[in-house]
Amino acid sequence: MSQKKSSKKSGTSLMESLGMKFQFHLSERFVFTLGFILFAVGIYLLLAFSSYFTTGEADQSIVTSLQEGEVENSTHSFQNICGSIGAIISHFLIAKCFGIAAYLIPAFIILMSLKFTKAYKNINLVKSFFIFALAMLWCSVAFAKFLPPLFPDTIYNPGGDHGLYSAQFLENMLGTPGLIAILAVVALAFLTYMSAETIYTVQHILNPLKFIKKVPLIITNNLGEDTSGATGKSQSLASVLSGSSEEEEEEDNGLSTTVELDNSEAEEEKEEQHEFGVIRKRPTKKKDVELEVEVGANEERAHSKTVNDEVPLTPINPKEPFTRYQYPNLDLLKRYDNDGKPVIDMDELNANKKQIEKVLNSFGVQIRDVKATVGPTITLYEITPAEGVRISRIRNLGDDIALSLAALGIRIIAPIPGKGTIGIEVPNKKPNIVSMRSILDSKKFKETTMELPIVLGKTITNEVFMVDLAKIPHLLVAGATGQGKSVGLNAIITSLLYKKHPKEMKLVLIDPKKVEFSVYAPIANHFMATVDDDEEPIITDVTKVVRTLKSLCALMDHRYDMLKMVKARNIKEYNQKYVNRELNLAEGHEYMPYIVVVIDEFGDLIMTAGKEIELPIARIAQLARAVGIHMVIATQRPTTSIITGNIKANFPGRMAFKVSAMIDSRTILDRPGANQLVGRGDMLFLSGSEPVRVQCAFIDTPEVESINNFIVNQPGPIAPMELPEPVSDEPSSMEGGVGVESSKLDPLFEEAARAIILTQQGSTSMIQRRFSIGYNRAGRLMDQLEKAGVVGQAQGSKPREVLVTDENSLNSLITNLRASGAA
């Protein structure tokens, strides 16, 4: 059994050496040396054949009656320039075998040498062998039949003894016409196999009128539509003589979008036609017509002066009054050795390549070539399989390849999207760290125009991977403990801090573990958004988490009312109108910053609060994209009880670090793959059809602290952004102000109540304008007035109903409030 296997392997190597679609197993030096030897042999035979034509007659007597010892040519009796060996080989191949056609033998040997030395890689030696062999046999017979009159005094037949015998045999059986017919048919079939032009040449010979000086003209317009039909109405000369219409002729030639003109480059023939045919032709010179292009000037438009023309409005700078704020610099981040430059280890690459080939060949899978793309931690081997190899066979060999390479995290991509190859991802033995500094220093990040750019790391091809959170618009992060999930969240936050101004973006950080986001506490005044009475800017209490999410829902509703008021579709259009002074600031309009909500340990929140957490998150994920509220939630347990169908449907962006089981990978990515990662920041990012493998950038806690300390020393807000008071689920009392404590009333409560009664208009924007206060305080005042029974419940963007009609009723209501507070 072992002998059969060894013989099979040796036979495969022989076929590979002939250039079939397999790879040569011998060393590259041996193949190159063999090619150089073949080149020398080919040149030697060419010289021997050429010398035979002049020395063959002198050497014939010696060759035909060769005695012992004469091969050594010690007496220099052979006249051939290549000595006795050259004379003997030339006499055998030219006189005894193929005649002049024997020149194709050294030509093929030289072609083999070019293939082996890789001077020309695209040579198919098997196909070339059959072409040269058939041509040599045909030429041998043809030369033996037709060339003897041209070589009357030669000692050999031009077609050799083989050609002479074959020609006589066929001529005796079929006669001269039969021999000529066989040679013609073989030649025609051979030329047709070599080139399809043979068909048109034969058609031209059989029907020359059909091909008289036809020039194909294809006309297209700027829209890519074919306009050649308009110019192809006149019949050509060939169609007139053959009696067929132009449409039939085009259909026969398969050129439905081609107009055939009966002319040459130098002249065209004008024909006068008669009912009986063509009377005469007049050749006329074809003149080149110059094309002159002139673009007419647009007429001047009448300019009407407007107020804007006379007094141009200066756009509002949304960064005011903190225009001197400086963004963090790269010196705050750590620089690592070989930062962003993967080390290429040729020994490792060649060893992995040989192991992959060995495993695939052992299972009967043949491949044509292998291409390696080295990344920071992963190397992608692109394999081009041989013809007829099923992709499923390679896909099922992932465990066998991992076993042979003694590596974890082998991932097979079959096939690679957009390529005709199969990818095998193999971890590097010496992975490189992708630092946060290297990707923030990239041109791609510095020149980006994204609204919320988050740069995550580098792909296998060492390209910086960056996405726009505003377009995703919500991101779901999952991964087992210690696989780089928290570092990934820090990379997201750091990317935003390096690109956004405190007036352009706010963060809402929710951290049930209480330690992951505590490092960002110093920048609370600059970049945080909290509910007014929260003592800590970073939310850690579950009850406060629910309150904050409901507050974000209230802010979302308010922003949609603002967008509806100014007829803007999204936050970008609204802010653009604000900057261009198209909004009435007296109506409560202000610049809307983006709000990014980052939730760590989402699974713990779901276990603690359940639906109370899930419902506001789902509502924000469904609606808040247009008003600039985006969410990033992370969990270390991507189970269906935590990442429900409602959550998955509204979080199209997925970031999966290494997980322990395939079912977890299917939960987060809807496919396996995350369970095959190697950890330490190795992740799959999905925002579309196919996931992208990325090595997450590494940022350490001291680097985050340095960035925060730098931001604290910059000019910025003196307090976090206040989120509106969340809408209470408890029904409010309308009678006598029950449920409202006078000690917690706003100092402007009485004045606001009197203003509403006088104007009989209960709206938050009116309170803002009247008392020059912010929206948050005006909203709290309106909630207190509702609980006291002064105004009714909110009705969307419409003003509230005023329940107290006169000032006396208001005075009695306030007295009751004070009395209840004193009691």
Side-chain angles (χ1 to χ4, degrees), residues 155 225 248 273 387 409 451 459 534 545 628 668 702 727 791:
I155 60 172
E225 300 172 354
E248 294 175 333
Q273 297 185 4
E387 297 292 338
E451 295 295 328
T459 62
D534 285 344
V545 171
I668 181 70
V727 178
V791 295

Side-chain angles (χ1 to χ4, degrees), residues 48 50-60 78-81 87 155:
S50 300
S51 178
Y52 179 78
F53 289 108
T54 58
T55 63
E57 186 173 358
D59 294 337
Q60 183 182 13
F78 286 95
Q79 300 297 318
N80 194 296
I81 192 174
I155 60 172

Side-chain angles (χ1 to χ4, degrees), residues 712-748:
V712 167
N713 295 325
Q714 301 300 317
I718 59 174
M721 171 184 171
E722 289 187 9
L723 297 176
E725 192 75 19
V727 178
S728 176
D729 295 334
E730 299 177 359
S732 58
S733 176
M734 298 291 180
E735 300 177 1
V738 178
V740 181
E741 298 182 10
S742 59
S743 60
K744 294 185 178 181
L745 290 177
D746 192 280
L748 296 177

